[in-house]
Amino acid sequence: MTGLQGGPGSRCNQCRNKVGDHTIMTAGGSHLETSESRPGKPVDASAPARGRAYLATIEGFIGALMMFVGSIGTGWIANGSPMIRQPVVIALRTEGWGVAVSTVLLTAGAMLLMRSWLRLGQRLGDWGQSSLRSVVVAISAWSLPLLFCVPVFSRDVYAYTGQGRLVQEGQNPYEVGISTLNNWFSLGADPAWAENRTPYGPYFLWLARAVVGLTGAQPDASVLLFRLLAGVGVLLCVIYVPKLAELHGINGARALWISVANPLFLISFIASAHNDALMVGLAVAGVYLAATRRYLLGILLVTASIGIKPITVLLLPFIGVMWAGPSASWPRKFLMWGATAGISFGVLALSGIPYNLGIGWTWAIMDPTPGYTGYSPSGFLGQQVEMLANALGLPGGTLATWLRTAMKWAAIALVLLLMFRGDYSRAVRRMALAFTAVVMLSPIIQPWYILWFLPFLAVTGIRDDWQIRSLYVGVTFFVVFGAQDQLSVWSFVALPIDASSLAFFTALAFTFYLLVLDVHTRKLLIEGKPLDLARRGWQWAVERRAARRTRAPQAPTAVDRSESR
C-alpha cells in the first residue's frame, strides 16, 4: 500500500496526518475516510478484565453444540430424509419431553452464543495485535458444530435443491415454482415456494444444479454442500473484512468481530445455510479490490455477487465513483458509471445463455415480494397509521400502503443522493449507508437482511456508543425472534406449553439475565450497574424522607402545601 509507512503511530506520506486519525491511503494515493477518530477507544481501567479470550471461545463452542443437539428435535428435516427413521431422532421429535428439551437446548444455545460474542468483545477490548487471531479462532470454533446442524431458523436451503432440480430438468426457475417437480414435497421446502419464482441470480442456479447433480437431490447431502458454499462466503468475509477495515483506519479484528463473529451471522449463514453468505462474501471481496484500484476485478466479483442475489446491484454506482477518482469531472463520473454498468450487465446477460435462463433475475429487482413484516420500520409504522386512521374513520389500509410506498421511494432518493453527493474519501461509507437505507426502509426485512450491509458499516466504523448498542439490540432481537419463529414441531406432539412459547420465554429469561443479572454484559447497554442505580435511588428517597421528618417546624411554604395535597 503506497502512502503508508510503519505502524499505528506512523504518518501518511501525502498529508502527514497520523494513520488512523482520519484516513488511510489506497494504493492509488486516494483517501478512504473512516467515521471513527481512531480504531479503538482507550482502555478503561474500570472495564472487565482483558485477555483470556479462549474462555469466551469455549463458552460459544458449548452454545453451538447445544444448538446442534437441539436442532435434531426442532430443526427442519426433509420428509425424504432417512434421518426421520432413526430411533433417537424419532424420540426427540415425537415425544413431548424430547421436543421440550430440544427447544430449550436450541434457544439457550443461541443465547449462550450471544453472550460469548459479547464477552469476546469485552475480553479483546484493547484490540491488540493478537486479537485478530482470537476472533478467527472463535469464528472457526463456533461454526464447526453449526456446520452439522439440522437447518434451523429457516428452511430456504431445501428450496435451493428444488430450484437446482428445475434447472437440471430443463425448466426455468424464473417462470415456474418447484411444484412442477415430481414428489417436490419430499424435498423439505416451505410450501410457499411451490408456485413462487426464484429471486436468485443465474450463478446461484448454476451452483444449485451442480449440487443436485452431485447428490441426486438427496436432502441431507444437498444441505451439507449448500452449507459449504455458504462457508466460502463466510471465509471471504474473514479474509477481506479486516483488510477493508484497515484500509479505512479501522481495527480489522474489531470489524471482524462485529460483522462475522456475531451469532446472527453464524446462525443465518452457517446453520441456516443462506446463499446470502456467498453474496456478501463476494461483495466484500469485490469492494476491497475496487478500493485498491483493481477496478475490473472488483466489478467482476461484485457481478458474481449479483449473480447470487441481485440486491448487490446497489454497489455498482459506488464502484463507479471509486473508478472515476477523487477529482473526477461529472462527464468522467457518468462515463465510469456507464462502463461499470456495461461490464457488469453485459457479463450477466451472457451468463443467462446457459440453461436458457435469460435475464429473468431482473424480476427480483423490478417486482419485489409483496406484503410487509411487522417488525420492519415500514411495516410497524404502517400498522400504527392504519390503526389510527381506522379509528378516525379514514381508509387506514390505503394510507398505510401509501406510507410504505413513500418509504421505499425515500430509500431510492437516498441512494441517488449518496451517489451524487459526498466526499470521494467516503465512497465505501456512502455505499454502506445506501445499502442500509434500502434494507431498513423496505417493508419486508428478514433477520439476515441486516447482515447484507453490516460488514460495510463495520469496516468504515461503528463507534462504541449508541451505534454499537443499536447493534447489540438488533442482533439480540433477531436471535430471539428466530429461535421462536422457525421451529419444526409435528402437530400431534402433546406439550404442556407450545414449543414457540417455550422458546420465547427461554430467550426472554436469558435476555433478562444478560441485561440485569450478568455482572459483565449488563454494562454494555446501561451505563452503571442497574441494581446499584436502583439501590442509590432507594437510598436517596429514604434520606429525603428522613430529612423531611427531622426538619424544624415552620410556616408551610407554597411547595410544602402543594406536596401535602
Side-chain angles (χ1 to χ4, degrees), residues 114-134:
M114 181 77 198
R115 183 185 188 275
S116 305
W117 174 59
L118 297 174
R119 291 293 291 133
L120 181 66
Q122 287 180 317
R123 291 184 180 279
L124 297 176
D126 56 356
W127 301 106
Q129 293 183 351
S130 63
S131 57
L132 180 59
R133 179 179 179 276
S134 297

Side-chain angles (χ1 to χ4, degrees), residues 227-277:
R227 216 171 242 152
L228 293 177
L229 288 174
V232 172
V234 174
L235 180 60
L236 287 172
C237 288
V238 169
I239 294 171
Y240 287 103
V241 161
K243 291 184 177 182
L244 192 55
E246 296 292 348
L247 201 65
H248 290 80
I250 303 299
N251 186 283
R254 183 174 181 271
L256 189 65
W257 168 74
I258 287 174
S259 58
V260 179
N262 81 71
L264 184 62
F265 189 100
L266 296 179
I267 293 171
S268 299
F269 288 173
I270 301 294
S272 300
H274 279 295
N275 58 5
D276 305 62

Side-chain angles (χ1 to χ4, degrees), residues 203 344-354 358-359 361:
Y203 300 149
S344 181
F345 294 158
V347 170
L348 286 168
L350 292 175
S351 302
I353 296 175
I359 57 171
W361 58 272

Side-chain angles (χ1 to χ4, degrees), residues 9 43 47 63 83 87 153 173 249 342 367 370 465:
V43 177
M83 284 183 62
F153 285 41
D367 184 23
D465 52 18

Side-chain angles (χ1 to χ4, degrees), residues 332-394:
R332 176 172 172 78
K333 287 181 180 179
F334 278 99
L335 178 63
M336 293 301 100
W337 280 330
T340 302
I343 292 170
S344 181
F345 294 158
V347 170
L348 286 168
L350 292 175
S351 302
I353 296 175
Y355 311 120
N356 297 315
L357 295 174
I359 57 171
W361 58 272
T362 57
W363 86 266
I365 300 174
M366 306 304 295
D367 184 23
T369 304
Y372 64 90
T373 51
Y375 51 79
S376 69
S378 173
F380 177 78
L381 291 175
Q383 286 178 325
Q384 307 313 307
V385 167
E386 182 174 3
M387 181 175 63
L388 179 60
N390 287 336
L392 297 174
L394 300 173

